[in-house]
Amino acid sequence: SPSGVMAIGGEEEMDFGRLQLVDVATGEVLHDLDGHENIVVSVALSPSGRFLASGSYDSSWRLWDAVTGEELLVVWGHSDFGGPCIC
């Protein structure tokens, strides 16, 4: 994140459609972002650190509130799996 407090990631052992927001200093999981039904291939954080966009092989991209972990928007039907998310 811009403040250096939060990292975004996932693990092979986890459900492959889940992202985690993690406190860098403590390693504490701040939020589990569940929603994608397939592998997440791109992630972008807004400059303010407030919003997170994620794209997946499930043909959706999702907008999340990075502070609360709430899913704000789902858009289905994209087909450019290799492209970046822009937040």
Side-chain angles (χ1 to χ4, degrees):
S1 70
S3 64
V5 174
M6 180 176 49
I8 306 157
E11 298 179 16
E12 288 184 41
E13 294 81 24
M14 291 180 10
D15 176 8
F16 61 6
R18 179 190 311 160
L19 293 170
Q20 288 185 324
L21 302 183
V22 178
D23 182 305
V24 174
T26 67
E28 175 188 1
V29 175
L30 303 172
H31 300 291
D32 281 316
L33 306 181
D34 292 315
H36 286 293
E37 298 171 7
N38 207 325
I39 298 168
V40 175
V41 293
S42 58
V43 175
L45 194 62
S46 68
S48 69
R50 176 68 196 235
F51 300 103
L52 174 91
S54 58
S56 169
Y57 281 144
D58 67 5
S59 297
S60 76
W61 70 265
R62 295 166 191 265
L63 182 65
W64 309 86
D65 183 317
V67 174
T68 67
E70 179 184 2
E71 184 181 78
L72 301 173
L73 179 68
V74 180
V75 177
W76 291 95
H78 76 78
S79 60
D80 184 11
F81 298 121
C85 286
I86 299 173
C87 197

PDB file of all heavy atoms in Angstrom, residues 4-5 21-30:
ATOM      1  N   GLY A   4       2.736   1.669   3.122  1.00  0.00           N
ATOM      2  CA  GLY A   4       3.665   0.608   3.488  1.00  0.00           C
ATOM      3  C   GLY A   4       3.169  -0.269   4.611  1.00  0.00           C
ATOM      4  O   GLY A   4       3.921  -1.048   5.185  1.00  0.00           O
ATOM      5  N   VAL A   5       1.885  -0.186   4.935  1.00  0.00           N
ATOM      6  CA  VAL A   5       1.323  -0.924   6.059  1.00  0.00           C
ATOM      7  C   VAL A   5       0.671  -2.231   5.625  1.00  0.00           C
ATOM      8  O   VAL A   5       0.612  -3.182   6.380  1.00  0.00           O
ATOM      9  CB  VAL A   5       0.276  -0.042   6.790  1.00  0.00           C
ATOM     10  CG1 VAL A   5      -0.437  -0.807   7.877  1.00  0.00           C
ATOM     11  CG2 VAL A   5       0.950   1.194   7.347  1.00  0.00           C
ATOM     12  N   LEU A  21      -5.470  -9.346   2.580  1.00  0.00           N
ATOM     13  CA  LEU A  21      -4.797  -8.092   2.913  1.00  0.00           C
ATOM     14  C   LEU A  21      -4.117  -8.326   4.247  1.00  0.00           C
ATOM     15  O   LEU A  21      -4.760  -8.723   5.216  1.00  0.00           O
ATOM     16  CB  LEU A  21      -5.798  -6.943   3.002  1.00  0.00           C
ATOM     17  CG  LEU A  21      -6.617  -6.681   1.740  1.00  0.00           C
ATOM     18  CD1 LEU A  21      -7.513  -5.468   1.936  1.00  0.00           C
ATOM     19  CD2 LEU A  21      -5.726  -6.475   0.545  1.00  0.00           C
ATOM     20  N   VAL A  22      -2.818  -8.077   4.291  1.00  0.00           N
ATOM     21  CA  VAL A  22      -2.013  -8.429   5.454  1.00  0.00           C
ATOM     22  C   VAL A  22      -1.279  -7.206   5.982  1.00  0.00           C
ATOM     23  O   VAL A  22      -0.735  -6.409   5.211  1.00  0.00           O
ATOM     24  CB  VAL A  22      -0.985  -9.523   5.059  1.00  0.00           C
ATOM     25  CG1 VAL A  22      -0.092  -9.880   6.233  1.00  0.00           C
ATOM     26  CG2 VAL A  22      -1.692 -10.749   4.525  1.00  0.00           C
ATOM     27  N   ASP A  23      -1.253  -7.064   7.300  1.00  0.00           N
ATOM     28  CA  ASP A  23      -0.475  -6.012   7.964  1.00  0.00           C
ATOM     29  C   ASP A  23       0.997  -6.404   7.843  1.00  0.00           C
ATOM     30  O   ASP A  23       1.411  -7.467   8.319  1.00  0.00           O
ATOM     31  CB  ASP A  23      -0.885  -5.904   9.431  1.00  0.00           C
ATOM     32  CG  ASP A  23      -0.157  -4.800  10.167  1.00  0.00           C
ATOM     33  OD1 ASP A  23       1.099  -4.794  10.163  1.00  0.00           O
ATOM     34  OD2 ASP A  23      -0.828  -3.952  10.766  1.00  0.00           O
ATOM     35  N   VAL A  24       1.789  -5.569   7.197  1.00  0.00           N
ATOM     36  CA  VAL A  24       3.197  -5.882   6.931  1.00  0.00           C
ATOM     37  C   VAL A  24       3.998  -6.016   8.222  1.00  0.00           C
ATOM     38  O   VAL A  24       4.854  -6.895   8.347  1.00  0.00           O
ATOM     39  CB  VAL A  24       3.822  -4.811   6.010  1.00  0.00           C
ATOM     40  CG1 VAL A  24       5.310  -5.029   5.836  1.00  0.00           C
ATOM     41  CG2 VAL A  24       3.128  -4.792   4.663  1.00  0.00           C
ATOM     42  N   ALA A  25       3.729  -5.179   9.203  1.00  0.00           N
ATOM     43  CA  ALA A  25       4.514  -5.180  10.439  1.00  0.00           C
ATOM     44  C   ALA A  25       4.260  -6.421  11.295  1.00  0.00           C
ATOM     45  O   ALA A  25       5.182  -6.980  11.875  1.00  0.00           O
ATOM     46  CB  ALA A  25       4.214  -3.919  11.251  1.00  0.00           C
ATOM     47  N   THR A  26       3.007  -6.871  11.366  1.00  0.00           N
ATOM     48  CA  THR A  26       2.658  -7.963  12.274  1.00  0.00           C
ATOM     49  C   THR A  26       2.381  -9.292  11.582  1.00  0.00           C
ATOM     50  O   THR A  26       2.381 -10.333  12.233  1.00  0.00           O
ATOM     51  CB  THR A  26       1.399  -7.594  13.082  1.00  0.00           C
ATOM     52  OG1 THR A  26       0.285  -7.517  12.183  1.00  0.00           O
ATOM     53  CG2 THR A  26       1.581  -6.280  13.826  1.00  0.00           C
ATOM     54  N   GLY A  27       2.119  -9.250  10.268  1.00  0.00           N
ATOM     55  CA  GLY A  27       1.740 -10.465   9.557  1.00  0.00           C
ATOM     56  C   GLY A  27       0.278 -10.843   9.749  1.00  0.00           C
ATOM     57  O   GLY A  27      -0.178 -11.850   9.226  1.00  0.00           O
ATOM     58  N   GLU A  28      -0.447 -10.022  10.498  1.00  0.00           N
ATOM     59  CA  GLU A  28      -1.868 -10.287  10.760  1.00  0.00           C
ATOM     60  C   GLU A  28      -2.685 -10.121   9.483  1.00  0.00           C
ATOM     61  O   GLU A  28      -2.515  -9.154   8.743  1.00  0.00           O
ATOM     62  CB  GLU A  28      -2.386  -9.312  11.820  1.00  0.00           C
ATOM     63  CG  GLU A  28      -3.873  -9.431  12.080  1.00  0.00           C
ATOM     64  CD  GLU A  28      -4.409  -8.339  12.982  1.00  0.00           C
ATOM     65  OE1 GLU A  28      -3.638  -7.457  13.415  1.00  0.00           O
ATOM     66  OE2 GLU A  28      -5.627  -8.362  13.241  1.00  0.00           O
ATOM     67  N   VAL A  29      -3.574 -11.078   9.229  1.00  0.00           N
ATOM     68  CA  VAL A  29      -4.492 -10.972   8.100  1.00  0.00           C
ATOM     69  C   VAL A  29      -5.581  -9.970   8.481  1.00  0.00           C
ATOM     70  O   VAL A  29      -6.311 -10.164   9.454  1.00  0.00           O
ATOM     71  CB  VAL A  29      -5.113 -12.333   7.740  1.00  0.00           C
ATOM     72  CG1 VAL A  29      -6.160 -12.172   6.638  1.00  0.00           C
ATOM     73  CG2 VAL A  29      -4.029 -13.320   7.316  1.00  0.00           C
ATOM     74  N   LEU A  30      -5.642  -8.882   7.718  1.00  0.00           N
ATOM     75  CA  LEU A  30      -6.641  -7.845   7.978  1.00  0.00           C
ATOM     76  C   LEU A  30      -7.987  -8.212   7.373  1.00  0.00           C
ATOM     77  O   LEU A  30      -9.023  -7.999   7.985  1.00  0.00           O
ATOM     78  CB  LEU A  30      -6.161  -6.505   7.417  1.00  0.00           C
ATOM     79  CG  LEU A  30      -4.824  -6.003   7.940  1.00  0.00           C
ATOM     80  CD1 LEU A  30      -4.370  -4.782   7.156  1.00  0.00           C
ATOM     81  CD2 LEU A  30      -4.932  -5.697   9.428  1.00  0.00           C
TER      82      LEU A  30
END
